[in-house]
Amino acid sequence: MCGGVYYTHNGLDTRFYFPNPKAKLPVRQRSGSVALLPWGRRQEQRGVLPLGGWARLDSIYGGRWDRWFPVPVKLPLKSFMERDIEGQSHWFDLVRGQWIQGLVARDGSEQRIYIVTVEPELESAVHERWPRILNG
């Protein structure tokens, strides 16, 4: 379910794991610049936006995110981390032109980003949720 990310921002390689309350994700702005936003919300963090760091695509289409004024965004990541059923971490690289879809949610001045997830296409997939990877 994408528990870690790796990206470059302002010339610095950065690796964050979701449990870190300071975790941020890069968001490509329409101007082409990249902004860093807080990745989801943890139990101990103040706010009203949903707990967790992921948004199921079917729940977005179902309107469950509408009250937080969702905005789809591109996350320019180099790779992401998933754990297998034995708890081992595996990093998956994105190729040039690929990006992961994110969702920016807002409530007043609170703004956070969530990774959009889908069901994997492979029947043999170990994970029930996978980041939505798009091209272009």
Side-chain angles (χ1 to χ4, degrees):
M1 178 166 33
C2 191
V5 295
Y6 174 68
Y7 59 87
T8 299
H9 182 70
N10 290 338
L12 297 173
D13 287 339
T14 304
R15 198 175 297 265
F16 269 122
Y17 299 91
F18 179 74
N20 182 342
K22 294 182 181 179
K24 295 184 183 231
L25 294 176
V27 176
R28 172 113 21 235
Q29 311 247 299
R30 290 178 202 242
S31 66
S33 65
V34 175
L36 294 177
L37 294 178
W39 181 6
R41 189 168 76 86
R42 289 138 204 85
Q43 191 71 41
E44 69 276 6
Q45 291 179 309
R46 296 177 64 185
V48 298
L49 291 175
L51 291 173
W54 308 272
R56 291 179 189 263
L57 185 62
D58 57 353
S59 72
I60 297 167
Y61 287 153
R64 299 216 318 269
W65 287 84
D66 288 354
R67 65 180 138 170
W68 294 294
F69 310 100
V71 175
V73 293
K74 293 181 180 183
L75 307 179
L77 304 174
K78 288 185 172 187
S79 59
F80 63 94
M81 186 272 296
E82 294 279 357
R83 293 190 191 276
D84 63 23
I85 57 174
E86 296 169 348
Q88 297 296 314
S89 297
H90 300 276
W91 286 89
F92 298 89
D93 294 333
L94 297 174
V95 298
R96 188 173 190 85
Q98 286 185 324
W99 47 276
I100 290 180
Q101 184 177 9
L103 174 147
V104 174
R106 292 181 175 83
D107 183 77
S109 63
E110 183 184 8
Q111 178 175 269
R112 298 182 182 275
I113 186 150
Y114 297 81
I115 293 176
V116 175
T117 61
V118 295
E119 289 186 29
E121 294 178 13
L122 299 174
E123 289 182 25
S124 61
V126 174
H127 308 283
E128 61 184 65
R129 291 171 68 186
W130 192 254
R132 186 173 193 210
I133 301 170
L134 299 169
N135 296 302

